[in-house]
Amino acid sequence: MIPGAFAYHRPNSVKEAVGLLAQFGDEGRALAGGHSLIPMMKLRLATPAHLVDLAGIADLKGVRSDGNDVVLGAMVTQHEVVVSEMLATKIPILRETSLQVADPQVRYVGTLGGNVANGDPGNDMPAVMICLGASYHVTGKKGERRIAARDFYQGAYFTALETGDVLTAVRIPVPAVGHGYAYEKLKRKIGDYATAAAAVVLTMSGGKVASCSIGLTNVAETPLWAEEAAKILVGSALDAATVRRAAAAAEAITAPAEDARGPARYRTKMAGVMLTRALARAKARARG
Ligand SMILES: Cc1cc2nc3c(=O)[nH]c(=O)nc-3n(C[C@H](O)[C@H](O)[C@H](O)COP(=O)(O)OP(=O)(O)OC[C@H]3O[C@@H](n4cnc5c(N)ncnc54)[C@H](O)[C@@H]3O)c2cc1C
């Protein structure tokens, strides 16, 4: 399949990119790794007249510490997330998740910013960002702002981004030392999007859960923050009965599409199963 004709622009700064995107309005799209956008263009599901390539903007690259946060430039690739020792030490769920995104070929080019900005409920990183309490740095016509990942997703392919906005970075508060974590993803084959997936970050104290956050992937039009399920777990030793109640609470907020990955009821059930597995692995990894 061949995409429709488009003009290609390669700005050198965020300001220039925002100016171009604002000028083109609905006719323009930011291009990052292109591994979601170009397939959509080939299917003619997206037909932008102007592509604004972010690859030449140095400010969108790199990973840095900023106080208790880690800030990743939007153009950091999934591969760079995998190989970063700093990220593996401080926020290990990122490497675990990145390794489950697509395949190495896609990860070499696909970016973290593109993954979270895309708004596809099948993308893995948004639920992890919701779980971690991350926020997105966005620059637009009116200047810079930050949007919590938990407020960013509004519907399938609908986000808080407005025309002309560029997501410039992802800011993640570093979880406590000794935290437990896991990203459990059910997929039909290597490289597939999730049938259902669950991200867990928790801390334990005296054998009991002191804090817990849960994100769910691809079981609704948006990634989900399973706040009630996490609340049920706090104060427990993650005994089987409490975990069952939490899994039921997580399943209750899902509303998956019925597609080639299975009927809606199956995918809902798998969200609970993925959460149960993620909790067991997170507990085994947690200290305290
Ligand atoms: C075979 C295959 C399998 C895949 N499997 C998975 C998977 O299992 N899990 C998963 O999570 N993903 C998967 N993907 C998607 C892949 O991770 C994409 O790379 C990712 O979704 C988008 O990142 P990108 O950098 O390629 O963005 P692009 O495709 O360039 O852009 C995606 C969208 O985001 C917008 N955008 C990008 N960057 C910005 C920015 N900085 N500011 C504002 N808007 C921006 C673009 O305008 C576009 O609308 C798969 C892709 C392929 C081809």
Side-chain angles (χ1 to χ4, degrees):
M1 299 276 262
I2 298 169
F6 57 86
Y8 175 82
H9 309 265
R10 195 175 166 100
N12 293 313
S13 69
V14 172
K15 191 173 173 206
E16 204 186 327
V18 169
L20 288 165
L21 287 166
Q23 178 192 333
F24 302 137
D26 289 344
E27 296 290 301
R29 286 284 276 275
L31 175 70
H35 273 61
S36 288
L37 183 53
I38 290 177
M40 297 274 271
M41 289 170 63
K42 285 181 161 184
L43 293 168
R44 305 273 175 135
L45 294 172
T47 51
H50 298 271
L51 282 187
V52 178
D53 191 348
L54 306 178
I57 306 176
D59 286 350
L60 299 181
K61 294 174 184 165
V63 178
R64 65 182 168 90
S65 273
D66 182 18
N68 193 42
D69 297 342
V70 166
V71 181
L72 299 96
M75 291 299 284
V76 168
T77 63
Q78 299 287 354
H79 174 73
E80 287 168 326
V81 172
V82 170
V83 298
S84 164
E85 288 307 324
M86 190 257 266
L87 292 179
T89 305
K90 292 191 166 188
I91 318 177
I93 194 171
L94 295 181
R95 176 183 280 180
E96 179 158 302
T97 307
S98 273
L99 281 168
Q100 297 185 64
V101 169
D103 50 51
Q105 242 180 321
V106 173
R107 294 197 292 266
Y108 277 125
V109 184
T111 66
L112 180 64
N115 199 291
V116 299
N118 192 27
D120 182 342
N123 283 145
D124 289 293
M125 282 298 175
V128 175
M129 296 306 150
I130 283 173
C131 175
L132 287 163
S135 57
Y136 304 149
H137 292 219
V138 175
T139 301
K141 288 177 279 188
K142 294 181 208 144
E144 294 175 27
R145 64 194 194 280
R146 278 192 209 172
I147 308 171
R150 290 172 191 166
D151 298 330
F152 187 76
Y153 300 97
Q154 302 173 346
Y157 298 100
F158 282 95
T159 69
L161 288 181
E162 292 168 11
T163 305
D165 282 346
V166 173
L167 191 152
T168 56
V170 174
R171 175 177 290 269
I172 308 173
V174 176
V177 173
H179 72 278
Y181 66 91
Y183 188 68
E184 279 286 339
K185 174 174 174 179
L186 177 67
K187 50 188 184 293
R188 297 170 301 179
K189 59 179 176 59
I190 292 291
D192 194 17
Y193 291 89
T195 300
V200 167
V201 171
L202 54 75
T203 56
M204 305 281 291
S205 175
K208 301 247 166 89
V209 176
S211 68
C212 181
S213 184
I214 299 166
L216 301 174
T217 297
N218 219 11
V219 284
E221 285 214 338
T222 62
L224 298 174
W225 189 38
E227 201 177 358
E228 280 309 310
K231 274 189 193 152
I232 289 168
L233 296 162
V234 172
S236 81
L238 290 172
D239 56 281
T242 310
V243 168
R244 267 199 303 276
R245 274 204 299 132
E251 288 171 19
I253 63 167
T254 66
E258 189 150 319
D259 63 13
R261 291 181 180 81
R265 275 181 59 201
Y266 168 70
R267 296 181 64 185
T268 287
K269 202 70 208 155
M270 289 308 104
V273 172
M274 291 304 108
L275 174 57
T276 304
R277 289 183 189 172
L279 286 167
R281 281 207 299 122
K283 181 184 179 183
R285 284 165 161 168
R287 281 190 261 138

